[in-house]
Amino acid sequence: MKKHLVTIIGFLLFNSSPIIAQTEEINTDNWVSSPGVIGTIILGVILLGIFTLITVIKTKKTIHTYYKISRLKNITTIEEDLLSLEIPEIGQILENRKKTEKVSLDEIEKNLISPYIEQLINISSRLDHQDIDEILNERYKVLSYSLQQNELGSDKSPNDDKGMITYVNNDLGNPIYDDKRSEKIKLKTDQELVKIVITYIGASAFWLILGTLIGQYIGMKFVWPEMDTISWLSFGRLRPVHTNTVFWGWASLAMIGLGYFVISRTSNQKIYSTKLAWRSFWLINATLVIGNICLMVGINNGGGEYREYIWPVMLLFAIGLIITAINYYKTIATRKVKEIYISNWYILAACVWTIILSIIGYLPFTGLGETIIQGYYMHQGVGMWFMTFTLGLVYYFLPSSLNKPIYSYSLGALAFWTQMLFYTLIGTHHFVFSPLPWWLQTVAIVFSAGMFIPVLAGTTNFLLTMKGSFKSIGDSYVLPFLLVGVIFYFLGSTQGSFQAFRFTNYVWHFTDFNVAHSHLTMYGIISFLLWGSIYALLPKLTGHEPKQINIGLHFWLAFVGLIIYMFSLMIGGTEKGLSWIEEEAFINSVKLMAPYWLWRAVGGSLMFLSHIIFALNIYQIYKKWSINKIEVQ
């Protein structure tokens, strides 16, 4: 009786206006001219332009570096040959040179002759024998000079009493990755907090590997659908394991671990309770273990996307989140500074909204009411938990990495409050043309368009903070991750607003385009920003860095893999949607997606390889830190 009463109340609340969505016809003859499609194409062109620009710059620099290395090696060889000559031989060379025609400077440059010999060649025709003798005497001094083994080029440490030297490089150059500045600053931080941060991030790296390994496997199933016939390895069971693992395991644990440092640092206060931090850690990890086992054996929450864990399991996560929010709040409440830094606004808001979200998402609604709740839960999970929390981290790690303040505190406040306003009512745009009130669908679309305000405000704030420091981006292995994350923040969020329009919903809904969009946001924005924040923090906390080539490989494999993954599914998803609109047989849409699914597997493979390298980097940092900690003790 109670269940039916809830259904009736939900029907009365959400069906107070006539449903006219299904009576309107959509004309797809000029689908390319739709504002949402045009906007998405422009964003795609911008992204491809940025990717091409980065690739061209990197390729040009690679070729130049190879040329520089070759030139230096040739010059070194020539000079070594000259050093082996005796004085009479040099004299004979100069005498012969006097009889030859003058060689142009361009030809000398082309043949890679050392600057010293170049000078002799240019002036030898104008010198008499006395001048040549003086030059030979000077050359003899050069030839007879030997190193004393105490210069900067020796294997001894440089003597730099005046602080003139900032960096010593013994490598001729590496064309694959930029030579980065080493992070020599080590922050004095409570060791218990360091342990908490490292453990959270280490666990998040583990769940990232596991979750994306499963994603890689189910992605390959699109290409080879008969890889297995085992029930608990079916797509329907593995897909929610993949999404929930990367959501609540990788991203959530990484955010919470980084959040503990930011909250403590910006409040100039120790974490309120380390015991609460550890309790939350174990509750969240228990959620993932128990929840994934349940999903694998077929115990789930039904059709609720991203809430497939049954409520007793998700209750553990909710308790862990409540404990975390209390810990954060108590730390900020006892801060030793007057102001509450803007990062803490975002982080606390994310915790509060997600606690509310978890409660509402698991209330026992049925029918249309549950459909509305699903849209709310699904979009709020991304926007009010992951996006809001991660933006709070960026407001700390971006300025600190550039060693400058955020460009505008006012823009940050504008972005914060408009995100709180608009993001809370956009979930229903996932159910345009569904049997939900037309006015509710319209509100979701209008508020989705309103998201242009916080996105533009936030992106402008971040890019203007970077203004004048783009050379630093080339010298840092942290800032490229943050820059790409900020670019994807603008492109992905704006594209999501375009996708909310009715026509674009009509073409793309239920297609692979949505999979591309979710990776554009959750991967391109959240993961890249988290990686940049992690690489910015861990070396400062531990005093140890991973190998630079590994960070470079991590960045490029993830970036290139995402571009391949995203564009293949966007193009294929569009073709699939148009195929459905033309009322072609469903199997035709499956066949036309085959090549795009292959490229999806290629891109996903590159992304998965980058995750392995990331986990290796974290392990190297942890290993060096733990060894050093034992030695100190």
Side-chain angles (χ1 to χ4, degrees):
M1 181 66 182
K2 183 179 179 181
K3 180 177 180 180
H4 293 299
L5 181 62
V6 171
T7 305
I8 294 171
I9 294 174
F11 180 83
L12 292 174
L13 286 174
F14 299 116
N15 291 274
S16 57
S17 60
I19 299 173
I20 60 175
Q22 283 67 39
T23 64
E24 292 196 2
E25 294 184 0
I26 300 294
N27 185 359
T28 59
D29 293 340
N30 297 315
W31 66 274
V32 179
S33 63
S34 168
V37 175
I38 292 174
T40 300
I41 291 174
I42 292 173
L43 293 175
V45 171
I46 293 173
L47 179 56
L48 282 178
I50 293 172
F51 175 73
T52 302
L53 178 63
I54 294 175
T55 304
V56 169
I57 292 174
K58 175 57 65 174
T59 303
K60 183 179 179 180
K61 185 170 183 178
T62 300
I63 295 172
H64 175 72
T65 305
Y66 270 123
Y67 171 77
K68 183 176 69 173
I69 294 173
S70 176
R71 186 174 185 274
L72 287 173
K73 287 181 177 179
N74 277 283
I75 291 175
T76 302
T77 302
I78 292 171
E79 290 181 343
E80 287 176 352
D81 291 341
L82 290 173
L83 287 173
S84 65
L85 295 177
E86 300 296 334
I87 296 296
E89 293 175 323
I90 295 177
Q92 185 62 44
I93 291 173
L94 293 175
E95 287 291 338
N96 293 336
R97 181 63 197 132
K98 287 166 60 178
K99 300 176 183 178
T100 60
E101 294 181 357
K102 184 179 179 181
V103 182
S104 66
L105 289 175
D106 292 338
E107 189 172 349
I108 292 171
E109 175 97 18
K110 180 179 178 182
N111 292 322
L112 302 173
I113 299 177
S114 67
Y116 182 78
I117 299 300
E118 176 186 323
Q119 182 184 13
L120 288 179
I121 292 172
N122 288 323
I123 66 175
S124 61
S125 61
R126 303 192 303 271
L127 297 178
D128 55 24
H129 289 285
Q130 184 178 356
D131 293 328
I132 293 176
D133 290 339
E134 290 180 2
I135 292 174
L136 290 177
N137 288 332
E138 292 297 323
R139 183 59 177 164
Y140 177 79
K141 292 179 182 179
V142 173
L143 291 174
S144 61
Y145 178 79
S146 61
L147 293 174
Q148 303 301 313
Q149 303 303 321
N150 59 1
E151 294 83 1
L152 292 179
S154 70
D155 57 355
K156 297 183 180 180
S157 300
N159 184 11
D160 184 33
D161 296 334
K162 296 184 179 180
M164 301 291 289
I165 301 173
T166 58
Y167 179 62
V168 177
N169 182 17
N170 296 318
D171 194 358
L172 289 175
N174 192 303
I176 304 301
Y177 64 94
D178 290 329
D179 191 41
K180 310 298 184 182
R181 293 193 310 267
S182 295
E183 184 54 73
K184 299 300 182 185
I185 300 174
K186 184 176 180 181
L187 298 175
K188 292 183 178 179
T189 309
D190 177 56
Q191 286 302 303
E192 187 62 26
L193 176 59
V194 174
K195 185 178 180 181
I196 289 172
V197 172
I198 290 179
T199 306
Y200 268 85
I201 293 175
S204 73
F206 166 78
W207 291 116
L208 175 65
I209 293 293
L210 179 61
T212 51
L213 174 63
I214 295 171
Q216 172 72 9
Y217 185 75
I218 60 179
M220 293 169 65
K221 278 195 167 190
F222 282 97
V223 183
W224 300 287
E226 297 180 357
M227 287 178 64
D228 64 73
T229 57
I230 304 172
S231 60
W232 51 272
L233 291 179
S234 63
F235 182 88
R237 296 191 185 183
L238 288 182
R239 199 266 178 176
V241 173
H242 163 65
T243 54
N244 283 276
T245 299
V246 295
F247 271 34
W248 315 122
W250 148 238
S252 296
L253 284 173
M255 291 188 316
I256 294 172
L258 293 167
Y260 272 116
F261 174 82
V262 173
I263 291 286
S264 174
R265 189 76 175 176
T266 56
S267 301
N268 194 21
Q269 178 65 283
K270 289 185 176 182
I271 290 298
Y272 173 72
S273 172
T274 57
K275 290 182 178 179
L276 289 180
W278 288 116
R279 289 173 184 172
S280 176
F281 174 81
W282 291 115
L283 283 169
I284 294 174
N285 279 279
T287 300
L288 288 151
V289 173
I290 300 172
N292 285 342
I293 292 174
C294 289
L295 293 178
M296 294 287 280
V297 298
I299 302 173
N300 56 64
N301 193 40
E305 190 173 13
Y306 305 147
R307 52 175 178 155
E308 289 89 352
Y309 289 165
I310 58 176
W311 73 262
V313 174
M314 201 60 185
L315 180 63
L316 298 177
F317 182 89
I319 295 173
L321 185 57
I322 292 171
I323 292 173
T324 300
I326 293 172
N327 218 1
Y328 285 168
Y329 174 77
K330 289 286 189 179
T331 303
I332 296 173
T334 58
R335 66 190 182 280
K336 295 180 181 178
V337 293
K338 181 179 179 181
E339 295 82 6
I340 299 178
Y341 187 62
I342 193 167
S343 289
N344 299 342
W345 293 20
Y346 279 88
I347 291 172
L348 282 182
C351 292
V352 172
W353 273 112
T354 309
I355 291 170
I356 297 172
L357 173 67
S358 299
I359 295 172
I360 294 177
Y362 278 86
L363 287 177
F365 284 109
T366 58
L368 296 182
E370 187 176 18
T371 301
I372 297 174
I373 292 301
Q374 171 58 32
Y376 171 79
Y377 177 89
M378 180 167 50
H379 221 97
Q380 295 292 94
V382 174
M384 301 306 291
W385 174 232
F386 298 110
M387 192 73 72
T388 302
F389 201 119
T390 305
L391 289 176
L393 297 177
V394 176
Y395 272 101
Y396 174 83
F397 286 108
L398 180 60
S400 64
S401 298
L402 293 169
N403 196 26
K404 61 164 63 171
I406 197 73
Y407 174 76
S408 172
Y409 201 87
S410 297
L411 274 177
L414 173 65
F416 174 81
W417 288 113
T418 50
Q419 173 141 334
M420 296 302 106
L421 171 65
F422 291 114
Y423 221 120
T424 53
L425 286 174
I426 67 177
T428 311
H429 73 212
H430 285 275
F431 300 103
V432 175
F433 301 115
S434 67
L436 295 178
W438 193 251
W439 66 266
L440 187 60
Q441 300 176 35
T442 303
V443 167
I445 295 171
V446 171
F447 274 65
S448 297
M451 280 300 298
F452 287 127
I453 298 174
V455 171
L456 286 174
T459 304
T460 302
N461 212 5
F462 296 144
L463 291 180
L464 288 179
T465 302
M466 296 181 187
K467 183 180 178 181
S469 302
F470 285 99
K471 186 180 182 301
S472 300
I473 294 174
D475 295 334
S476 168
Y477 53 72
V478 171
L479 293 172
F481 284 96
L482 297 180
L483 176 61
V484 168
V486 169
I487 291 172
F488 276 119
Y489 171 56
F490 170 73
L491 296 176
S493 300
T494 306
Q495 191 275 319
S497 296
F498 286 140
Q499 195 172 340
F501 297 167
R502 283 195 170 91
F503 183 83
T504 48
N505 241 288
Y506 187 68
V507 176
W508 289 329
H509 196 44
F510 296 123
T511 71
D512 294 69
F513 194 100
N514 290 303
V515 181
H517 172 71
S518 66
H519 283 77
L520 172 60
T521 52
M522 275 301 298
Y523 195 90
I525 303 174
I526 305 303
S527 292
F528 270 86
L529 293 179
L530 287 177
W531 285 326
S533 301
I534 289 170
Y535 285 135
L537 179 61
L538 287 191
K540 291 181 179 179
L541 288 185
T542 64
H544 301 288
E545 294 179 314
K547 294 180 180 180
Q548 290 186 8
I549 190 172
N550 286 349
I551 301 177
L553 287 173
H554 173 197
F555 174 82
W556 285 106
L557 287 172
F559 188 35
V560 175
L562 177 60
I563 296 294
I564 295 172
Y565 187 103
M566 185 180 64
F567 276 97
S568 62
L569 292 187
M570 281 187 168
I571 297 171
T574 303
E575 290 191 17
K576 176 187 280 189
L578 294 174
S579 171
W580 292 347
I581 291 172
E582 295 297 326
E583 298 183 355
E584 297 178 1
F586 180 78
I587 192 63
N588 290 343
S589 66
V590 176
K591 291 178 180 178
L592 70 84
M593 282 301 300
Y596 300 109
W597 284 333
L598 177 61
W599 281 108
R600 166 191 173 137
V602 172
S605 298
L606 295 178
M607 294 155 70
F608 179 65
L609 286 175
S610 76
H611 304 162
I612 295 176
I613 296 172
F614 167 68
L616 177 62
N617 291 339
I618 299 302
Y619 172 74
Q620 287 178 341
I621 293 175
Y622 175 78
K623 184 178 180 181
K624 293 176 182 178
W625 172 74
S626 59
I627 292 174
N628 183 66
K629 186 178 178 182
I630 293 173
E631 291 176 352
V632 171
Q633 292 176 346

